[in-house]
Amino acid sequence: MKRITQGVGHWATRLRFAFSSNAAFLAYIRTEGNSRGGHTWTNEDLKPSPPHMVNWRWYNFCLFWFGVGFGNWTLGSSIVGVGLTWWEATIVVWVAASVSGLCMALNSRAAANYHVGYPVVLRTSFGMYGHYGPVIVRGACAMLWVSVLNFQGGAFASTMLRCIVGKRWDDLGSQLPPSVGTTLQRLIGFLLFWAIELPFCSLRPNKLKWLYTFKAWTLPPSMIGLLIYCLVQSRGHLASDAALSSVTTRPTGSALAWLIVSSINSAMGNWSTFIANMPDFARYATSPSATMWTHIVFVPFPAAIGGMIGIFGTSCLQEAWGVTLWNQWDVYDAILDRTDTGAARLGVFLLAFCSALFNFGTILGANLLPFASDITAILPTYFNLTRGMWFCCIVSLALMPWKILASANGFLAFLEGYGIFMGPTAAIMITDYWLVRKGNIHLADLYTSKPGSRYMYFHGFNVNAVVAYLCGMMIPFVGFVGTFGIAVPLGATRCDEIGWYVSSAVAGTVYIALCRLRPLNNIDRSLAWEDLAREFAAERMAIPRTSPCLSLDEKASCDSGRKVCVQAATVSCTAVE
């Protein structure tokens, strides 16, 4: 409590001083090291993470994915809805999660070695100015998802309030007009969920380990408990696949094979954002190995179990009640409609709390943090991670997600299909680090756009990466346009149905080919695999935490005759003889 009081007092003192003069106000709103204003490439969250913040061990990543995987109730059951059997849907989830886990492991390596986030790693492959494109795409979609997922989290909050208040919650005496697009209960739940989320915007990932650990220990038991309830309701009997499916005739032959392939691609949408996002977490990893096998094993294993729980639970309730409930909040409300006892309300409250916790962790890790990281890269003078998360959370409130969800299927198709924009980015990042530059990154040149600097390429753009990105994205793009109701050829629709795989494979292949035909001039071929990564790690180990370091303002004065050397916790200027 004393530390909290001191922190609030320090913040209040700084705030009062900020309004003492115009110069003091500008210094206050600018990030660390950017008091002079102007364009900059760094601040406290763009430079490598200091050692005291690098605290994610291998088991933290295991727990992170253990909690994420068991939240796949809707994913598994919805795949059955398109016409697959339960075991085919399980294979779909397993394959999609396995591919995603491998890609996450590969894309985490650079960040785990050099302790920088997604935007800074992007500069190595796309260039100092070229990296803005993928950053803007990811940030815009992240903000939209924050709004939508907050509204879904609000549904669980509304259910918890119903458990507390009872039947009075269904009749509050007044309701919003139909034109608003939501009920008063859902609006209250949304605002409550949003308000609880706000304080967490002040926490960086190194301070969120406890949240994901707590989620990993609470979500799996709650989902298993819900499955047991569903089995009891149906006396252990499952509904037929036809009862769960939205199609009248089960596909066979090539139609079935294509449905499985397209379902795998659709399931990729559940993890495609994490493939790009993992550098923002991996930068806090204590070693590169902490992000490798943990993703390869602990992404698909819990995901497959979570998907199966959703499939069997939905099937049991269809058999017992004659209704197909895909969403968990609908399941909870249906339980209360049928059994409004104290014990049932307590059980549903705990289930809804765990489900809301899943949404909460997903919003923070998959959307708020990526947006904050992206806007920090775009406006580093004024935004850091915490400011970016606060900004995103506040703006998401004004987006009125109930309007987004009710607007049209086309908008949701965009959110689900933007993997064709993120897939090429991840493919280029992976091939660039692993195959082109063999794990060697010159950190100094990631923070300067002076002519001749290593990552300026052609006017700040790596032409090879730009061409490869466009090649990968354009092939499924025509089919993606068709999801908005525009008539397109069947072949284009097929390409979009496997859009993530097509766009990623094409972009990665084209990038490697271009780098062979048109070699990059910033690659030092005399370096062995991750030579610079080992040198960087040795420097951080050799310099004590208490060593004097230059302030970021002093670092900003470095000219082209100096190099940036990360020592312990900072990027400091070291003269080159």
Side-chain angles (χ1 to χ4, degrees):
M1 181 61 68
K2 182 178 180 181
R3 292 180 60 184
I4 296 176
T5 304
Q6 290 175 342
V8 172
H10 177 66
W11 172 80
T13 301
R14 291 181 61 238
L15 187 62
R16 284 196 301 269
F17 178 75
F19 287 94
S20 62
S21 67
N22 183 56
F25 179 75
L26 291 176
Y28 178 79
I29 64 173
R30 289 169 180 158
T31 56
E32 180 185 337
N34 294 314
S35 60
R36 286 189 295 272
H39 184 272
T40 181
W41 293 104
T42 187
N43 63 23
E44 63 268 34
D45 287 317
L46 289 173
K47 67 180 183 178
S49 301
H52 72 272
M53 295 179 66
V54 178
N55 60 358
W56 276 64
R57 301 184 181 277
W58 65 268
Y59 53 81
N60 296 121
F61 288 98
C62 293
L63 291 170
F64 178 89
W65 287 110
F66 204 70
V68 171
F70 274 86
N72 285 321
W73 174 286
T74 303
L75 175 64
S77 55
S78 61
I79 292 176
V80 173
V82 301
L84 298 180
T85 63
W86 68 267
W87 64 268
E88 291 167 342
T90 302
I91 293 175
V92 165
V93 174
W94 186 275
V95 172
S98 297
V99 173
S100 300
L102 177 61
C103 293
M104 290 177 205
L106 296 176
N107 203 32
S108 297
R109 183 80 178 186
N113 270 318
Y114 296 95
H115 303 291
V116 291
Y118 169 81
V120 178
V121 176
L122 264 180
R123 295 172 185 174
T124 65
S125 52
F126 281 83
M128 298 303 293
Y129 294 115
H131 87 289
Y132 284 136
V135 159
I136 292 173
V137 169
R138 188 183 76 152
C141 290
M143 176 176 284
L144 293 172
W145 272 118
V146 167
S147 183
V148 171
L149 291 176
N150 270 332
F151 189 61
Q152 293 179 355
F156 295 121
S158 176
T159 300
M160 287 188 281
L161 289 172
R162 180 182 177 184
C163 292
I164 296 172
V165 177
K167 294 181 178 179
R168 291 173 295 172
W169 181 247
D170 295 326
D171 185 15
L172 295 179
S174 61
Q175 276 295 335
L176 301 173
S179 59
V180 174
T182 187
T183 64
L184 181 59
Q185 290 88 343
R186 288 291 297 273
L187 179 61
I188 294 174
F190 167 66
L191 293 175
L192 177 62
F193 186 86
W194 176 83
I196 294 173
E197 183 180 283
L198 275 177
F200 287 82
C201 294
S202 297
L203 302 178
R204 291 174 171 84
N206 64 299
K207 294 183 178 180
L208 286 173
K209 291 191 304 177
W210 65 270
L211 176 65
Y212 293 108
T213 300
F214 179 62
K215 189 175 75 164
W217 287 106
T218 54
L219 186 62
S222 70
M223 292 299 97
I224 293 173
L226 179 59
L227 175 61
I228 293 173
Y229 172 85
C230 296
L231 288 168
V232 170
Q233 293 298 303
S234 68
R235 300 181 184 275
H237 299 293
L238 300 178
S240 65
D241 294 325
L244 294 175
S245 176
S246 59
V247 298
T248 56
T249 304
R250 173 169 162 73
T252 57
S254 61
L256 175 61
W258 189 260
L259 180 60
I260 292 175
V261 172
S262 60
S263 295
I264 292 173
N265 185 77
S266 298
M268 285 294 299
N270 202 51
W271 296 285
S272 61
T273 54
F274 276 112
I275 295 175
N277 296 349
M278 282 318 295
D280 290 322
F281 276 95
R283 65 181 298 183
Y284 301 102
T286 54
S287 68
S289 61
T291 64
M292 186 56 66
W293 65 269
T294 51
H295 287 92
I296 295 174
V297 175
F298 273 85
V299 172
F301 178 67
I305 296 178
M308 290 177 65
I309 289 175
I311 293 169
F312 292 146
T314 302
S315 181
C316 289
L317 293 183
Q318 167 64 36
E319 177 70 16
W321 298 344
V323 293
T324 303
L325 302 173
W326 304 115
N327 297 317
Q328 285 167 281
W329 56 84
D330 291 332
V331 174
Y332 301 153
D333 287 339
I335 294 174
L336 292 177
D337 290 339
R338 287 168 171 76
T339 312
D340 192 16
T341 63
R345 284 159 59 179
L346 175 60
V348 171
F349 178 90
L350 294 175
L351 288 171
F353 172 80
C354 293
S355 298
L357 184 63
F358 169 77
N359 261 53
F360 197 74
T362 302
I363 292 170
L364 288 173
N367 299 286
L368 275 177
L369 176 62
F371 175 87
S373 182
D374 293 339
I375 199 171
T376 297
I378 297 171
L379 297 170
T381 303
Y382 299 102
F383 281 93
N384 54 25
L385 287 183
T386 55
R387 291 181 183 181
M389 287 193 286
W390 274 89
F391 177 80
C392 181
C393 201
I394 292 172
V395 173
S396 69
L397 181 66
L399 293 178
M400 294 189 294
W402 50 91
K403 292 288 187 182
I404 295 176
L405 292 171
S407 59
N409 289 332
F411 185 80
L412 294 178
F414 168 75
L415 289 179
E416 294 173 357
Y418 86 108
I420 68 170
F421 301 100
M422 296 306 300
T425 303
I428 292 170
M429 292 174 70
I430 291 171
T431 54
D432 180 76
Y433 183 81
W434 286 83
L435 301 178
V436 176
R437 63 186 72 252
K438 300 185 185 303
N440 292 296
I441 295 177
H442 296 262
L443 282 174
D445 290 312
L446 290 175
Y447 299 94
T448 177
S449 56
K450 291 186 179 297
S453 59
R454 192 176 298 269
Y455 299 108
M456 274 299 289
Y457 296 104
F458 178 74
H459 299 290
F461 294 85
N462 180 0
V463 177
N464 290 0
V466 173
V467 172
Y469 180 89
L470 292 176
C471 288
M473 183 267 292
M474 288 305 297
I475 292 178
F477 183 76
V478 176
F480 172 70
V481 172
T483 61
F484 295 90
I486 301 173
V488 298
L490 177 62
T493 301
R494 294 298 195 200
C495 283
D496 179 60
E497 289 175 351
I498 54 174
W500 190 91
Y501 288 94
V502 170
S503 61
S504 301
V506 170
T509 303
V510 170
Y511 184 71
I512 294 173
L514 288 176
C515 288
R516 293 290 178 87
L517 298 172
R518 185 178 177 274
L520 302 177
N521 58 12
N522 64 354
I523 305 296
D524 187 350
R525 289 170 176 77
S526 66
L527 295 173
W529 168 251
E530 290 186 342
D531 266 355
L532 296 182
R534 286 189 291 272
E535 290 180 12
F536 175 72
E539 287 178 353
R540 287 168 67 94
M541 291 292 294
I543 298 178
R545 294 172 182 260
T546 56
S547 63
C549 304
L550 295 177
S551 69
L552 281 175
D553 276 332
E554 292 171 321
K555 295 160 201 166
S557 66
C558 293
D559 54 30
S560 58
R562 300 187 173 200
K563 70 176 183 179
V564 178
C565 174
V566 177
Q567 297 184 351
T570 63
V571 179
S572 61
C573 302
T574 305
V576 178
E577 298 181 359

